[in-house]
Amino acid sequence: MSGNASGNHGNRTGWAGFWDRGGWWKAIAFVVVYLAVYLGVGWVIDKTAGDAIDFDDVFGDPLSVFLAVALPLIIGSIVLFAFAASVRWLPRPLFGRQPVTGRWWMWVAPALVVITFVLRLFGIDWAAYTGGVIATTFLAGLFVGIAEEVLTRGIVVTLLRRHGYREWAVAVLSSLVFALLHTTNLLSGQALVTVLGTIGFAFGFGMMMYLTLRVTGNLVWPIILHALTDPSTILATGGIDVAGSNQSPLLTFAGLSTFVFLIFALIAMIFIRGTANGRAAAGEPELHTTVPTV
């Protein structure tokens, strides 16, 4: 892969200038560092407050949910916003209007996510959880949405666009990075087959979030949809990235989203067009760009 970009933001020097020039390897390097910080925070919490976490049933107690799930994500979100502020990407370009407009068919993606959420909402066995667990799980879900969307549809997409990649590559690469984040489930002892299935679902869901970003025009909407998806999935299955034992017909239909998202993602890859021409937000000047090959 190779490419070159120059322009107002492309000419900045130092720390901000380094990241403004973007690149796929910078995206991967940043994600690896973030994961190390996130996992490190989790390790510290386990060592210092592990006695307060019920590892056999994390979602059986609000404090367990907060310490084991929410707190690492809260700290991770703070780290991401601190980085974005350090390179002057707040509020724009991360929360600026998208530099490439969406197409009508892209509305199918957020619609599919909302339908799946509604099915889970009515299929969850709410009586199986206390109010505190439900509230804390949705708090954790909020920070899942913030952290993972700012990381992948925010920072990673910005780095790819800044380097001049076409939107097809931006969509696929950012979704692939998002999917590979879930390989860390191997560290918690999950079976390889389960992790591979999660990666497949995550790629499809990542494409749904990219399409939502494009068609709504702002990162806020993928954050909201992601923040609703994860806690409803957790409460429906009783855990993170597990099959669960709730046999509700509504959850059976919701479970089909794994295949629906992936199929629609593969179809969408055929039709995604356009390039941001080095811009990460609307209104920025286009860069003189040699489009990198992938």
Side-chain angles (χ1 to χ4, degrees):
M1 303 181 187
S2 62
N4 176 62
S6 62
N8 290 347
H9 45 266
N11 287 334
R12 287 202 293 173
T13 58
W15 173 255
F18 172 81
W19 293 103
D20 265 337
R21 288 185 287 275
W24 66 270
W25 67 270
K26 292 178 185 177
I28 292 175
F30 183 84
V31 169
V32 169
V33 171
Y34 170 79
L35 275 179
V37 172
Y38 171 75
L39 294 172
V41 168
W43 182 83
V44 171
I45 292 172
D46 287 350
K47 294 299 180 182
T48 57
D51 291 343
I53 301 174
D54 183 356
F55 291 101
D56 293 325
D57 185 14
V58 171
F59 294 93
D61 175 74
L63 184 58
S64 286
V65 177
F66 179 78
L67 292 175
V69 184
L71 186 55
L73 290 164
I74 292 171
I75 296 174
S77 298
I78 292 171
V79 169
L80 291 173
F81 278 104
F83 167 79
S86 76
V87 294
R88 300 195 292 277
W89 287 358
L90 286 177
R92 287 166 48 95
L94 289 189
F95 290 92
R97 189 163 51 89
Q98 288 292 290
V100 186
T101 57
R103 299 291 181 264
W104 66 267
W105 61 266
M106 294 181 179
W107 282 108
V108 173
L112 289 174
V113 175
V114 169
I115 290 170
T116 302
F117 166 70
V118 171
L119 288 173
R120 288 201 177 103
L121 197 64
F122 286 98
I124 292 170
D125 180 9
W126 297 100
Y129 303 98
T130 65
V133 167
I134 293 170
T136 312
T137 301
F138 272 94
L139 173 68
L142 172 62
F143 283 96
V144 169
I146 292 172
E148 295 189 358
E149 292 305 314
V150 169
L151 176 63
T152 53
R153 257 63 64 180
I155 292 171
V156 169
V157 164
T158 295
L159 288 168
L160 295 173
R161 283 175 171 166
R162 281 281 197 251
H163 204 60
Y165 290 102
R166 296 190 183 279
E167 285 302 298
W168 184 89
V170 172
V172 173
L173 291 175
S174 62
S175 299
L176 185 60
V177 168
F178 173 69
L180 293 177
L181 288 176
H182 296 79
T183 58
T184 57
N185 289 351
L186 290 169
L187 300 177
S188 64
Q190 279 195 358
L192 178 60
V193 173
T194 302
V195 173
L196 290 176
T198 300
I199 290 173
F201 167 78
F203 179 81
F205 184 75
M207 287 290 290
M208 298 304 100
M209 293 298 94
Y210 165 83
L211 294 171
T212 299
L213 176 71
R214 279 281 302 274
V215 79
T216 61
N218 196 285
L219 182 61
V220 168
W221 295 105
I223 288 175
I224 291 173
L225 288 186
H226 200 151
L228 294 174
T229 296
D230 275 44
S232 61
T233 303
I234 289 168
L235 294 173
T237 62
I240 299 175
D241 296 331
V242 298
S245 57
N246 190 328
Q247 299 301 312
S248 166
L250 294 176
L251 297 185
T252 300
F253 282 111
L256 295 176
S257 64
T258 298
F259 306 102
V260 173
F261 291 170
L262 190 54
I263 291 170
F264 187 69
L266 295 175
I267 295 172
M269 287 167 57
I270 301 172
F271 297 100
I272 293 173
R273 297 287 187 274
T275 176
N277 292 319
R279 299 173 298 161
E284 291 183 348
E286 292 187 3
L287 306 184
H288 302 294
T289 306
T290 301
V291 176
T293 57
V294 178

